[in-house]
Amino acid sequence: MIEPVQLPSPWRDERLTVVVPTYNEANNLPTLVERLLALPLPGMSILIADDNSPDGTGDVADKLSAEHPDRIQVVHRPGKEGLGRAYVDGIGRALDGGARFVAQMDADLSHPPEALPGMLGALLSTQAGVVIGSRYVPGGQLDEAWPLYRRALSGWANLYVHTLLQVRIRDLTAGFKIWRADALREIGLERVQSNGYSFQVEMHYLATKLGQTIVEVPIRFEERRDGVSKMTTATKIESALMPFRLRTRHRNIAP
């Protein structure tokens, strides 16, 4: 576990909302929340968007919110509608709540919460619209336990999307990032239609089309220790088709 960067005031006090979509993450969520609340970021809050998890994740989230009412908000969604819809809902609520910065991260502990202060510092010290916690820039790492087929799939997906969309990001499918609120408003969540993991690609593509500066900083990506991956065959098919749809859907967008 890395040691979090100690940001100077007023940077550490910025209103940062961390949006965490959940589906069957009851065992991982308490650990994630504990690590997030331990960060030297007193202005940070957490928004958990649960898709009516059958394992009781929503109840776990409610309990955590009751223990930390000023820092944790829970959104109970009607059912499993996919990662993209959960993020659009959660990010929209964070913006409506006055967040100046919005982070995205998984609930399965694959993204190191301790990297968030450094990512926020990188965002505040640049003109970037978003900072990505990247597996594929120099210094980035993948957990040795990550299966070979997942490494191959991730590498192929990045190459495939790079070729079709010409987006200059090393980790195009990354789900760990911090956005400026203004950058998200410029993108317009109503434009985003992707549902599964291709949501990440669509957001990166829109940011690029709008001329936003994107910065990647290295992280170590961990293999989940509990639960199962949400990557399904349908998700893979959607991700394969999405670049073609994005080129058509957003062809008239320009800075």
Side-chain angles (χ1 to χ4, degrees), residues 66-153:
E67 293 171 357
H68 306 278
D70 296 332
R71 302 196 69 184
I72 301 177
Q73 176 185 355
V74 183
V75 176
H76 292 281
R77 293 167 43 76
K80 189 178 181 182
E81 297 178 338
L83 183 71
R85 295 305 90 200
Y87 263 132
V88 167
D89 190 353
I91 291 171
R93 291 171 185 262
L95 293 175
D96 290 344
R100 294 194 63 222
F101 303 92
V102 179
Q104 299 175 226
M105 69 183 306
D106 292 346
D108 61 6
L109 305 176
S110 59
H111 299 145
E114 293 75 20
L116 278 171
M119 291 168 63
L120 180 59
L123 189 63
L124 288 166
S125 62
T126 66
Q127 296 302 310
V130 59
V131 167
I132 297 171
S134 176
R135 298 164 286 186
Y136 301 129
V137 293
Q141 297 178 338
L142 285 170
D143 191 331
E144 294 79 5
W146 221 42
L148 182 60
Y149 81 91
R150 291 284 304 277
R151 293 171 183 263
L153 179 62

Coordinates of all heavy atoms in Angstrom, one line a residue, residues 66-153:
A66 N -24.9 6.0 7.7 CA -25.4 6.3 9.0 C -24.3 6.6 10.0 O -24.4 7.5 10.9 CB -26.3 5.2 9.6
E67 N -23.1 5.9 9.8 CA -22.0 6.2 10.7 C -21.2 7.4 10.3 O -20.6 8.1 11.1 CB -21.0 5.0 10.5 CG -21.6 3.7 11.1 CD -20.7 2.5 10.8 OE1 -19.7 2.6 10.1 OE2 -21.1 1.4 11.3
H68 N -21.3 7.8 9.0 CA -20.6 9.0 8.5 C -21.6 9.9 7.6 O -21.4 10.0 6.4 CB -19.4 8.6 7.7 CG -18.5 7.7 8.4 ND1 -17.5 8.1 9.3 CD2 -18.3 6.3 8.3 CE1 -16.8 7.1 9.7 NE2 -17.3 6.0 9.2
P69 N -22.6 10.4 8.2 CA -23.7 11.1 7.4 C -23.2 12.3 6.7 O -23.8 12.7 5.7 CB -24.7 11.4 8.5 CG -24.0 11.5 9.8 CD -22.9 10.4 9.7
D70 N -22.1 12.9 7.1 CA -21.7 14.1 6.5 C -20.7 13.8 5.3 O -20.4 14.7 4.5 CB -20.9 15.0 7.5 CG -21.8 15.6 8.6 OD1 -23.0 15.7 8.3 OD2 -21.3 15.8 9.7
R71 N -20.3 12.6 5.2 CA -19.3 12.2 4.2 C -19.8 11.2 3.2 O -19.1 11.0 2.2 CB -18.0 11.8 4.8 CG -17.5 12.9 5.8 CD -16.0 12.7 6.1 NE -15.1 12.9 5.0 CZ -13.8 12.6 5.0 NH1 -13.3 12.2 6.1 NH2 -13.1 12.9 3.9
I72 N -20.8 10.4 3.5 CA -21.2 9.3 2.6 C -22.7 9.5 2.2 O -23.6 9.6 3.1 CB -21.0 8.0 3.3 CG1 -19.5 7.8 3.6 CG2 -21.5 6.8 2.3 CD1 -19.3 6.5 4.4
Q73 N -23.0 9.4 0.9 CA -24.3 9.5 0.4 C -24.6 8.2 -0.4 O -23.7 7.7 -1.1 CB -24.5 10.7 -0.5 CG -25.9 10.8 -1.2 CD -26.0 11.9 -2.2 OE1 -25.0 12.7 -2.3 NE2 -27.1 12.0 -2.9
V74 N -25.8 7.7 -0.3 CA -26.1 6.4 -1.0 C -27.3 6.7 -1.9 O -28.3 7.3 -1.6 CB -26.5 5.3 0.0 CG1 -26.8 4.0 -0.8 CG2 -25.4 5.1 1.0
V75 N -27.1 6.2 -3.2 CA -28.1 6.3 -4.2 C -28.6 4.8 -4.4 O -27.7 4.0 -4.9 CB -27.7 6.9 -5.5 CG1 -28.8 6.9 -6.5 CG2 -27.2 8.4 -5.2
H76 N -29.8 4.5 -4.2 CA -30.4 3.2 -4.4 C -31.1 3.2 -5.8 O -32.1 3.8 -6.0 CB -31.3 2.8 -3.3 CG -30.7 2.6 -2.0 ND1 -30.0 1.4 -1.7 CD2 -30.6 3.4 -0.9 CE1 -29.5 1.5 -0.5 NE2 -29.9 2.7 0.0
R77 N -30.5 2.5 -6.7 CA -31.0 2.4 -8.1 C -31.9 1.2 -8.2 O -31.8 0.2 -7.4 CB -29.9 2.4 -9.1 CG -29.1 3.7 -9.1 CD -27.8 3.7 -9.8 NE -27.9 3.0 -11.1 CZ -28.4 3.4 -12.2 NH1 -28.9 4.7 -12.2 NH2 -28.4 2.7 -13.3
P78 N -32.9 1.2 -9.2 CA -33.9 0.1 -9.2 C -33.4 -1.3 -9.5 O -34.0 -2.3 -9.1 CB -34.9 0.6 -10.2 CG -34.1 1.5 -11.1 CD -33.1 2.2 -10.2
G79 N -32.3 -1.4 -10.2 CA -31.8 -2.7 -10.6 C -30.5 -2.6 -11.4 O -30.0 -1.5 -11.6
K80 N -30.0 -3.7 -11.8 CA -28.7 -3.7 -12.5 C -28.9 -3.2 -14.0 O -29.4 -3.8 -14.8 CB -28.1 -5.1 -12.6 CG -26.7 -5.2 -13.1 CD -26.2 -6.6 -13.1 CE -24.7 -6.6 -13.6 NZ -24.2 -8.0 -13.6
E81 N -28.4 -1.9 -14.2 CA -28.6 -1.3 -15.5 C -27.2 -1.1 -16.1 O -27.1 -0.5 -17.2 CB -29.3 0.1 -15.3 CG -30.7 -0.1 -14.8 CD -31.4 1.2 -14.6 OE1 -30.7 2.3 -14.5 OE2 -32.6 1.3 -14.6
G82 N -26.1 -1.5 -15.5 CA -24.8 -1.4 -16.1 C -24.0 -0.3 -15.5 O -24.5 0.7 -14.9
L83 N -22.7 -0.4 -15.7 CA -21.7 0.5 -15.1 C -21.9 2.0 -15.6 O -21.9 2.9 -14.8 CB -20.3 0.1 -15.4 CG -19.2 0.9 -14.8 CD1 -19.1 0.6 -13.3 CD2 -17.8 0.5 -15.5
G84 N -22.2 2.1 -16.9 CA -22.3 3.4 -17.4 C -23.5 4.2 -16.9 O -23.3 5.4 -16.5
R85 N -24.6 3.6 -16.8 CA -25.8 4.2 -16.2 C -25.6 4.6 -14.8 O -26.1 5.7 -14.3 CB -27.0 3.4 -16.4 CG -27.5 3.0 -17.8 CD -27.7 4.3 -18.6 NE -26.5 4.7 -19.3 CZ -26.3 5.9 -19.8 NH1 -27.2 6.9 -19.6 NH2 -25.2 6.2 -20.4
A86 N -25.0 3.7 -14.0 CA -24.7 4.0 -12.6 C -23.8 5.2 -12.5 O -24.0 6.1 -11.6 CB -24.1 2.8 -11.9
Y87 N -22.8 5.3 -13.3 CA -21.9 6.5 -13.3 C -22.5 7.8 -13.7 O -22.3 8.8 -13.0 CB -20.6 6.2 -14.1 CG -19.5 5.7 -13.4 CD1 -18.7 4.6 -13.9 CD2 -19.0 6.3 -12.2 CE1 -17.6 4.1 -13.2 CE2 -17.9 5.8 -11.5 CZ -17.2 4.7 -12.0 OH -16.1 4.2 -11.3
V88 N -23.3 7.7 -14.7 CA -24.0 8.9 -15.2 C -24.9 9.4 -14.0 O -25.0 10.6 -13.8 CB -24.8 8.6 -16.4 CG1 -25.8 9.8 -16.7 CG2 -23.9 8.5 -17.6
D89 N -25.6 8.5 -13.4 CA -26.5 8.9 -12.3 C -25.7 9.5 -11.1 O -26.0 10.6 -10.6 CB -27.3 7.7 -11.8 CG -28.4 8.0 -10.8 OD1 -28.5 9.2 -10.4 OD2 -29.2 7.1 -10.5
G90 N -24.6 8.8 -10.7 CA -23.8 9.2 -9.6 C -23.1 10.5 -9.9 O -23.1 11.4 -9.0
I91 N -22.5 10.6 -11.0 CA -21.8 11.9 -11.4 C -22.7 13.1 -11.5 O -22.4 14.2 -11.0 CB -21.0 11.7 -12.7 CG1 -19.8 10.7 -12.5 CG2 -20.4 13.0 -13.2 CD1 -19.2 10.3 -13.8
G92 N -23.9 12.8 -12.0 CA -24.9 13.9 -12.1 C -25.3 14.4 -10.8 O -25.4 15.6 -10.5
R93 N -25.5 13.5 -9.8 CA -25.8 13.9 -8.5 C -24.7 14.6 -7.8 O -24.9 15.6 -7.0 CB -26.3 12.7 -7.7 CG -27.6 12.1 -8.1 CD -27.8 10.7 -7.4 NE -29.0 10.1 -7.9 CZ -30.2 10.1 -7.4 NH1 -30.4 10.8 -6.2 NH2 -31.2 9.5 -7.9
A94 N -23.5 14.2 -8.0 CA -22.3 14.8 -7.4 C -22.2 16.3 -7.9 O -21.9 17.2 -7.1 CB -21.0 14.1 -7.8
L95 N -22.4 16.5 -9.2 CA -22.4 17.9 -9.8 C -23.5 18.7 -9.2 O -23.3 19.9 -8.8 CB -22.4 17.8 -11.3 CG -21.3 17.2 -12.0 CD1 -21.5 17.1 -13.5 CD2 -20.0 17.9 -11.8
D96 N -24.7 18.1 -9.1 CA -25.8 18.9 -8.5 C -25.5 19.2 -7.1 O -26.1 20.3 -6.6 CB -27.1 18.1 -8.6 CG -27.6 17.9 -10.1 OD1 -27.1 18.7 -10.9 OD2 -28.4 17.0 -10.3
G97 N -24.7 18.4 -6.4 CA -24.5 18.7 -5.0 C -23.3 19.7 -4.8 O -23.0 19.9 -3.6
G98 N -22.8 20.2 -5.8 CA -21.7 21.2 -5.7 C -20.3 20.8 -5.7 O -19.4 21.5 -5.4
A99 N -20.0 19.5 -6.1 CA -18.7 19.0 -6.2 C -17.9 19.8 -7.2 O -18.3 20.1 -8.3 CB -18.6 17.6 -6.6
R100 N -16.7 20.2 -6.8 CA -15.8 20.9 -7.8 C -14.9 19.9 -8.6 O -14.5 20.2 -9.7 CB -14.8 21.9 -7.0 CG -15.6 23.0 -6.4 CD -14.6 24.1 -6.0 NE -13.9 24.7 -7.1 CZ -12.6 25.0 -7.2 NH1 -11.9 24.7 -6.1 NH2 -12.1 25.5 -8.2
F101 N -14.8 18.7 -8.0 CA -14.0 17.6 -8.6 C -14.8 16.3 -8.3 O -15.3 16.1 -7.3 CB -12.6 17.6 -8.1 CG -11.8 18.8 -8.2 CD1 -11.8 19.8 -7.2 CD2 -11.1 19.1 -9.4 CE1 -11.1 21.0 -7.3 CE2 -10.5 20.3 -9.5 CZ -10.5 21.3 -8.5
V102 N -14.8 15.4 -9.3 CA -15.5 14.2 -9.2 C -14.5 13.0 -9.6 O -13.9 13.0 -10.7 CB -16.7 14.1 -10.1 CG1 -17.4 12.8 -10.0 CG2 -17.7 15.3 -9.8
A103 N -14.4 12.1 -8.7 CA -13.5 10.9 -8.9 C -14.4 9.7 -9.3 O -15.5 9.6 -8.8 CB -12.7 10.6 -7.7
Q104 N -13.9 8.9 -10.1 CA -14.5 7.6 -10.4 C -13.6 6.5 -9.9 O -12.4 6.5 -10.2 CB -14.7 7.4 -11.9 CG -15.6 8.4 -12.6 CD -15.5 8.1 -14.1 OE1 -15.4 9.0 -14.9 NE2 -15.6 6.8 -14.6
M105 N -14.1 5.5 -9.3 CA -13.3 4.3 -9.0 C -14.2 3.1 -8.7 O -15.4 3.2 -8.4 CB -12.4 4.6 -7.7 CG -13.1 4.8 -6.4 SD -11.9 5.2 -5.1 CE -10.7 3.9 -5.2
D106 N -13.6 1.9 -8.9 CA -14.3 0.7 -8.7 C -14.4 0.4 -7.2 O -13.5 0.8 -6.4 CB -13.6 -0.5 -9.4 CG -13.7 -0.4 -10.9 OD1 -14.5 0.4 -11.4 OD2 -12.9 -1.1 -11.6
A107 N -15.4 -0.5 -6.8 CA -15.5 -0.9 -5.4 C -14.8 -2.1 -5.1 O -14.8 -2.5 -3.9 CB -17.0 -1.1 -5.1
D108 N -14.1 -2.8 -6.0 CA -13.5 -4.1 -5.8 C -12.1 -4.0 -5.3 O -11.4 -5.0 -5.2 CB -13.6 -4.9 -7.0 CG -12.8 -4.3 -8.2 OD1 -12.1 -3.3 -8.0 OD2 -12.8 -4.9 -9.3
L109 N -11.6 -2.8 -4.9 CA -10.3 -2.6 -4.3 C -9.2 -2.8 -5.4 O -8.0 -2.9 -5.0 CB -10.0 -3.5 -3.1 CG -11.0 -3.4 -2.0 CD1 -10.7 -4.4 -0.9 CD2 -11.1 -2.0 -1.4
S110 N -9.5 -2.8 -6.7 CA -8.5 -2.8 -7.7 C -7.8 -1.5 -7.9 O -6.6 -1.4 -8.3 CB -9.1 -3.3 -9.0 OG -10.1 -2.4 -9.5
H111 N -8.5 -0.4 -7.5 CA -7.9 0.9 -7.6 C -7.4 1.4 -6.2 O -8.2 1.3 -5.3 CB -8.9 1.9 -8.1 CG -9.4 1.6 -9.5 ND1 -10.7 1.9 -9.9 CD2 -8.8 1.1 -10.6 CE1 -10.9 1.5 -11.1 NE2 -9.7 1.0 -11.6
P112 N -6.2 1.8 -6.1 CA -5.7 2.2 -4.7 C -6.2 3.5 -4.3 O -5.8 4.6 -4.9 CB -4.2 2.2 -5.0 CG -4.0 2.5 -6.4 CD -5.1 1.9 -7.1
P113 N -7.0 3.6 -3.3 CA -7.5 4.9 -2.8 C -6.4 5.8 -2.4 O -6.5 7.1 -2.6 CB -8.4 4.5 -1.6 CG -8.7 3.1 -1.8 CD -7.6 2.5 -2.5
E114 N -5.3 5.3 -2.0 CA -4.2 6.1 -1.5 C -3.6 7.0 -2.6 O -2.8 7.9 -2.4 CB -3.1 5.3 -0.9 CG -3.5 4.6 0.4 CD -4.5 3.4 0.3 OE1 -4.6 2.9 -0.9 OE2 -5.2 3.1 1.2
A115 N -3.9 6.6 -3.9 CA -3.4 7.4 -5.0 C -4.2 8.7 -5.3 O -3.7 9.6 -6.0 CB -3.4 6.5 -6.3
L116 N -5.4 8.8 -4.7 CA -6.2 9.9 -5.0 C -5.6 11.3 -4.6 O -5.7 12.2 -5.5 CB -7.6 9.8 -4.2 CG -8.6 8.9 -4.9 CD1 -9.8 8.6 -4.0 CD2 -9.1 9.5 -6.2
P117 N -5.0 11.5 -3.5 CA -4.4 12.8 -3.2 C -3.4 13.2 -4.3 O -3.3 14.4 -4.7 CB -3.7 12.7 -1.9 CG -4.5 11.6 -1.2 CD -4.9 10.6 -2.3
G118 N -2.5 12.3 -4.7 CA -1.6 12.6 -5.8 C -2.2 12.9 -7.1 O -1.8 13.8 -7.8
M119 N -3.3 12.2 -7.4 CA -4.0 12.5 -8.6 C -4.7 13.8 -8.6 O -4.7 14.6 -9.6 CB -5.1 11.4 -8.9 CG -4.5 10.0 -9.2 SD -5.7 8.6 -9.2 CE -6.8 9.1 -10.5
L120 N -5.3 14.2 -7.4 CA -5.9 15.5 -7.3 C -4.8 16.6 -7.4 O -5.0 17.6 -8.0 CB -6.6 15.6 -5.9 CG -7.3 16.9 -5.6 CD1 -8.3 17.3 -6.6 CD2 -7.9 16.9 -4.2
G121 N -3.6 16.4 -6.8 CA -2.6 17.3 -6.9 C -2.1 17.5 -8.4 O -1.9 18.6 -8.8
A122 N -2.1 16.4 -9.1 CA -1.7 16.5 -10.6 C -2.8 17.3 -11.3 O -2.4 18.1 -12.2 CB -1.6 15.1 -11.1
L123 N -4.0 17.2 -11.0 CA -5.1 17.9 -11.6 C -5.0 19.4 -11.3 O -5.1 20.2 -12.2 CB -6.4 17.3 -11.2 CG -7.7 17.8 -12.0 CD1 -7.6 17.4 -13.4 CD2 -8.9 17.3 -11.3
L124 N -4.8 19.7 -10.1 CA -4.8 21.1 -9.6 C -3.5 21.8 -10.1 O -3.5 23.1 -10.2 CB -4.8 21.2 -8.1 CG -6.2 20.8 -7.5 CD1 -6.1 20.6 -6.0 CD2 -7.2 21.9 -7.8
S125 N -2.4 21.1 -10.4 CA -1.2 21.8 -10.8 C -1.1 21.9 -12.3 O -0.1 22.3 -12.8 CB 0.0 21.0 -10.3 OG 0.0 19.7 -10.8
T126 N -2.1 21.4 -13.0 CA -2.1 21.5 -14.5 C -3.4 22.1 -15.0 O -4.3 22.4 -14.2 CB -2.0 20.1 -15.1 OG1 -3.2 19.3 -14.8 CG2 -0.8 19.4 -14.6
Q127 N -3.6 22.2 -16.3 CA -4.8 22.7 -16.9 C -5.7 21.5 -17.4 O -6.6 21.7 -18.2 CB -4.5 23.7 -18.0 CG -3.8 24.9 -17.6 CD -4.6 25.7 -16.6 OE1 -5.8 26.0 -16.8 NE2 -3.9 26.1 -15.5
A128 N -5.4 20.4 -16.9 CA -6.1 19.2 -17.3 C -7.6 19.2 -16.9 O -7.9 19.7 -15.9 CB -5.4 17.9 -16.8
G129 N -8.4 18.6 -17.8 CA -9.8 18.4 -17.4 C -10.0 17.1 -16.7 O -10.9 17.0 -15.9
V130 N -9.1 16.2 -16.8 CA -9.2 14.9 -16.1 C -7.8 14.3 -15.9 O -6.9 14.5 -16.8 CB -10.0 13.9 -16.9 CG1 -9.5 13.6 -18.3 CG2 -10.2 12.6 -16.2
V131 N -7.6 13.7 -14.8 CA -6.3 12.9 -14.5 C -6.7 11.4 -14.4 O -7.7 11.1 -13.6 CB -5.6 13.4 -13.3 CG1 -4.6 12.4 -12.8 CG2 -5.0 14.7 -13.5
I132 N -6.0 10.6 -15.1 CA -6.3 9.1 -15.1 C -5.3 8.4 -14.4 O -4.1 8.6 -14.6 CB -6.4 8.6 -16.6 CG1 -7.5 9.3 -17.4 CG2 -6.5 7.1 -16.6 CD1 -7.4 9.0 -18.9
G133 N -5.7 7.5 -13.5 CA -4.8 6.6 -12.8 C -4.5 5.4 -13.8 O -5.4 4.6 -14.1
S134 N -3.4 5.4 -14.4 CA -3.1 4.5 -15.6 C -2.2 3.3 -15.2 O -1.2 3.5 -14.5 CB -2.4 5.4 -16.6 OG -2.0 4.6 -17.7
R135 N -2.6 2.2 -15.8 CA -1.8 1.0 -15.7 C -0.6 0.9 -16.7 O 0.3 0.2 -16.5 CB -2.7 -0.2 -15.9 CG -3.8 -0.4 -15.0 CD -4.9 -1.3 -15.5 NE -5.7 -0.7 -16.5 CZ -6.8 -1.3 -17.1 NH1 -7.2 -2.5 -16.7 NH2 -7.4 -0.7 -18.0
Y136 N -0.7 1.8 -17.8 CA 0.1 1.5 -18.9 C 1.1 2.7 -19.2 O 1.7 2.7 -20.3 CB -0.7 1.2 -20.1 CG -1.6 0.0 -19.9 CD1 -3.0 0.0 -20.2 CD2 -1.0 -1.2 -19.5 CE1 -3.8 -1.1 -20.0 CE2 -1.8 -2.3 -19.2 CZ -3.2 -2.3 -19.5 OH -3.9 -3.4 -19.3
V137 N 1.2 3.6 -18.3 CA 2.3 4.6 -18.5 C 3.5 4.2 -17.7 O 3.4 3.3 -16.8 CB 1.8 6.0 -18.0 CG1 0.7 6.6 -18.9 CG2 1.4 6.0 -16.6
P138 N 4.7 4.7 -18.0 CA 5.9 4.3 -17.2 C 5.6 4.4 -15.7 O 5.1 5.5 -15.2 CB 6.9 5.3 -17.7 CG 6.5 5.6 -19.1 CD 5.0 5.6 -19.1
G139 N 5.9 3.4 -15.0 CA 5.7 3.4 -13.6 C 4.4 2.7 -13.2 O 4.2 2.3 -12.0
G140 N 3.4 2.5 -14.1 CA 2.2 1.8 -13.9 C 2.4 0.3 -13.8 O 3.4 -0.2 -14.4
Q141 N 1.6 -0.4 -13.0 CA 1.8 -1.8 -12.7 C 0.5 -2.5 -12.7 O -0.5 -2.0 -12.4 CB 2.5 -2.0 -11.4 CG 3.9 -1.4 -11.3 CD 4.5 -1.7 -9.9 OE1 3.8 -1.9 -8.9 NE2 5.8 -1.6 -9.8
L142 N 0.6 -3.8 -13.1 CA -0.5 -4.7 -12.9 C -0.2 -5.8 -11.9 O 0.9 -6.3 -11.8 CB -0.8 -5.5 -14.3 CG -1.5 -4.7 -15.4 CD1 -1.5 -5.4 -16.7 CD2 -2.9 -4.3 -15.0
D143 N -1.2 -6.1 -11.0 CA -1.0 -7.1 -10.0 C -0.5 -8.4 -10.7 O -1.1 -8.8 -11.7 CB -2.3 -7.3 -9.3 CG -2.1 -8.2 -8.1 OD1 -1.2 -9.1 -8.0 OD2 -2.9 -8.0 -7.1
E144 N 0.5 -9.1 -10.1 CA 1.0 -10.3 -10.7 C -0.1 -11.4 -10.7 O 0.0 -12.3 -11.5 CB 2.2 -10.8 -9.9 CG 3.4 -10.0 -9.9 CD 3.3 -8.8 -9.0 OE1 2.3 -8.6 -8.3 OE2 4.2 -7.9 -9.1
A145 N -1.1 -11.2 -9.9 CA -2.2 -12.2 -9.9 C -3.3 -12.0 -11.0 O -4.2 -12.8 -11.2 CB -2.9 -12.2 -8.5
W146 N -3.1 -10.9 -11.7 CA -4.1 -10.6 -12.8 C -3.9 -11.7 -13.9 O -2.8 -11.9 -14.4 CB -3.8 -9.2 -13.4 CG -5.1 -8.5 -13.7 CD1 -6.2 -8.5 -12.9 CD2 -5.4 -7.7 -14.9 NE1 -7.2 -7.7 -13.5 CE2 -6.7 -7.2 -14.7 CE3 -4.7 -7.4 -16.0 CZ2 -7.3 -6.4 -15.6 CZ3 -5.3 -6.6 -16.9 CH2 -6.6 -6.1 -16.8
P147 N -5.0 -12.4 -14.2 CA -4.8 -13.6 -15.2 C -4.3 -13.1 -16.5 O -4.5 -12.0 -17.0 CB -6.3 -14.1 -15.3 CG -7.0 -13.6 -14.1 CD -6.3 -12.3 -13.8
L148 N -3.6 -14.0 -17.2 CA -3.0 -13.7 -18.5 C -4.0 -13.3 -19.5 O -3.8 -12.4 -20.3 CB -2.2 -14.9 -19.0 CG -1.4 -14.8 -20.3 CD1 -0.4 -13.6 -20.2 CD2 -0.7 -16.1 -20.7
Y149 N -5.2 -14.0 -19.5 CA -6.2 -13.7 -20.5 C -6.7 -12.3 -20.3 O -7.1 -11.6 -21.3 CB -7.3 -14.7 -20.5 CG -8.4 -14.5 -19.4 CD1 -9.5 -13.8 -19.6 CD2 -8.2 -15.1 -18.1 CE1 -10.4 -13.6 -18.6 CE2 -9.1 -14.9 -17.1 CZ -10.2 -14.2 -17.4 OH -11.2 -14.0 -16.4
R150 N -6.8 -11.8 -19.0 CA -7.3 -10.4 -18.7 C -6.2 -9.4 -19.2 O -6.6 -8.4 -19.8 CB -7.5 -10.2 -17.2 CG -8.7 -11.0 -16.7 CD -10.0 -10.4 -17.0 NE -10.1 -9.0 -16.6 CZ -10.5 -8.6 -15.4 NH1 -10.7 -9.5 -14.4 NH2 -10.6 -7.3 -15.1
R151 N -5.0 -9.7 -19.1 CA -3.9 -8.9 -19.6 C -4.0 -8.8 -21.1 O -3.9 -7.7 -21.7 CB -2.5 -9.4 -19.2 CG -2.2 -9.3 -17.7 CD -0.9 -10.1 -17.4 NE -0.7 -10.1 -15.9 CZ 0.1 -9.3 -15.3 NH1 0.8 -8.4 -16.0 NH2 0.3 -9.4 -14.0
A152 N -4.2 -9.9 -21.7 CA -4.2 -9.9 -23.2 C -5.5 -9.2 -23.7 O -5.4 -8.4 -24.7 CB -4.3 -11.4 -23.7
L153 N -6.6 -9.4 -23.0 CA -7.9 -8.7 -23.4 C -7.7 -7.2 -23.3 O -8.1 -6.4 -24.1 CB -9.0 -9.2 -22.6 CG -10.4 -8.6 -22.8 CD1 -10.8 -8.9 -24.3 CD2 -11.4 -9.2 -21.8

